[in-house]
Amino acid sequence: MSQHTNANTFDANESNLNSATWQVTEPAFDPLRQHHSETILTLGNGYLSTRGTFEERYPNDRQATLVHGMWDDVPIAFTELANTPDWTALEIWVDGHRFDMQEGQITNYARCLDLRTGRLQRRLRWTPAEDIAVELSFERFASLDDEHLLAVSVRVTPLSKPAEIKVRAMLDSRVENDGLLHWQQVSQHSDAGQADLVVRTRHTGKTLAMSTRLGVSGGEAHLAASDCPGCPGIVATAQAEAGQPLVIVKSVAIYTSRDSSDPLAAAQAKVQTAATAGYAALREANKSAWADFWEASDVIIEGDDEAQLAVRHALFQVRIAAPTHDERASIPAKTLSGFGYRGHVFWDNEIFVLPFFTFTQPNLARNMLMYRYHTLPGARRKAAANSFSGAQYAWESAETGDEVTPTWGLDFDDPTKLVRIWTGDIQIHISADIAYAMHQYWRVTGDDDFWQDVGAPVVLETAVFWGDRAEAEGDRFAIRDIIGPDEYHDHVDNNAYTNHMVRWHLKTAQDALEWLWEHDPGGAGTLVEKLDLTPERLTHWRKVIDGLILAHDPETGLIEQFEGFFDLEDVDWPAYEGRTKSMQELLDIEESNHYKVLKQADVIALLCLFDDAFDQKTWQANWDYYVPITDHAYGSSLGPAMHAWAACRMGQPDLAYEHFMRAARADLSDVRGNAWDGIHAASAGGLWEAVVFGFAGLRLTENGPTFKPQLPTHWRRVVFNIIYRGERRRIELSR
Ligand code: BGC
């Protein structure tokens, strides 16, 4: 039996086109670097992502396919995305030798993630025994055209003499999240034509079904069922002639109980359609969906291949993590590319990642903002649990919007000790960050329906929380005992970023209510009643707006990061030269509270978000003060891209470039040494911000976007699109 006879595993012309700026390559198989490669070679389609582990699997790999919304309970961290059964699994035998890159000899190895077409490819020559040699080419993709469809193909070519090729294609549920098991087996089935697997999460009862078919071309193949427990599959056996490629295509369809009442039937029907269409058609449809994405969202940087590739890789990685048809999911801090932060969603998305989508893929931005709308009930519960009215968003959010930040974590130096994690209790700026992102989306898109039904109601309900949370002290208001963006200091009072955001938030809430009265008086009335927006409450908001403490010295322009920051101890920076660890690790978590050292942009973040609202003196004074005492290399990965943006604002594009490249290398070059745990989503989104808000100098004014470009010396040309109020504009900047 043979399907997909037109399978074409590699297309040399395509692969070589502009490879330096479109392809992330791995020139050699290095078992010690695999976890890093797995992360950066992650592919996906907005429904799921799959790390770049190998089809034949290796004992130490960190295999993962994470599907949006498939949460299951875990101890301490509450919930995590359950690692889905491995759809890529293939075992290959050549004349009885099981393919394994650690056995025999490997030559001509190359692996590449082609960003332009969303395909991961590998080719190599394998010599398992003296008289046997084969060429193997693999290719896989998760279709961006149809998010339920996945495909992997392998082409085996015996080099000197005919060989018996056996390929076992499996749906492998023997998967884990760093040792934790999430699945119960519901059913499995295999025959020569199709294999199916149905599993269910142990605690949350979510069902996932996969169905697979195998097609073979280039030789007469015998297909049979392969039915090991938890791992249904199909085995193909064929005699391949020397020099004649045998091509095996595994197509897989996946559905869950989140998107179908009968996920198995849906998966079976889909894989049948895929088989009828054939591999080449699926591949073409995927490629053309990617072409559409790049046409709208690519950023072209001429004169710097490394920066160009890094930006494309970053955009690719955030795109594959952005839910395409799902309003109940958003991009996690480590995208869907690793177990870091367990799939939880942070402010990273609203402040660092969403602008890219808002300006180039507004429908996707809307999905993720809707996620915050749908999780309002959790935010209401959090506010109520803290004895406040309104809604307070979780610092780490998952399915319901309830707080899922673990309360305890492991000590850096001594993993037998636990340290208290306070962010879930007191890092509260997230509610204003979400309001900021919704408002930005509205300003850019002009989507009044969104503002009326979603944005304004969310801004108002979270404003109710702020009104309660601000503490009256005479005629001033304080926000005490919090953590600002700089997490090296906890339990601080009046963090400038937070207070300023809150003031902006309350003002925006007032404007939103006025706007609603004008555009939707019925809706405004209902909301006023539901949220108890009495005249007294609105007067109280005005008082908070006027009285909220903001330590901004009009003489010097300096803004104190929080009360007492200027009195902290100075760090003896020369003593730490050459360090390879974060200042928090070196000083100790508790101790770093006492020093003038920042994990990431805090006042600088505030300046970036409000930009021209601060005068040049303020920019200069705070730039001069805070940048030298920030832990750029080993603090938060959120820092460098934002400092690149800020440095442009300070008219220093070449210095901006240094910060920019630190962000660009966070994943591709693994400069922080932790890329194995997943892509740094905020750093990736921040690269787009640095190019567009920083180097191109995009500002949103009353009259629409304006630009104030300043490129690094060696950049010749930058081109990108933005969509403003439904109209796409192409921006071209050259020296
Ligand atoms: C950063 C936070 C960020 C979180 C998730 C922390 O290290 O300090 O700002 O939200 O990581 O990326």
Side-chain angles (χ1 to χ4, degrees), residues 333 341 346-348 395 427 485 487 599-600 636-638 682:
Y341 292 124
F346 293 64
W347 74 312
D348 304 36
W395 177 246
Q427 191 154 1
E487 295 178 349
K599 182 177 182 187
Q600 62 206 94
S636 167
S637 64
L638 276 61

Side-chain angles (χ1 to χ4, degrees), residues 57-76:
R57 302 290 309 273
Y58 291 88
N60 252 332
D61 63 9
R62 283 171 73 79
Q63 171 278 335
T65 290
L66 299 176
V67 177
H68 270 307
M70 295 307 280
W71 298 103
D72 198 32
D73 300 352
V74 288
I76 316 243

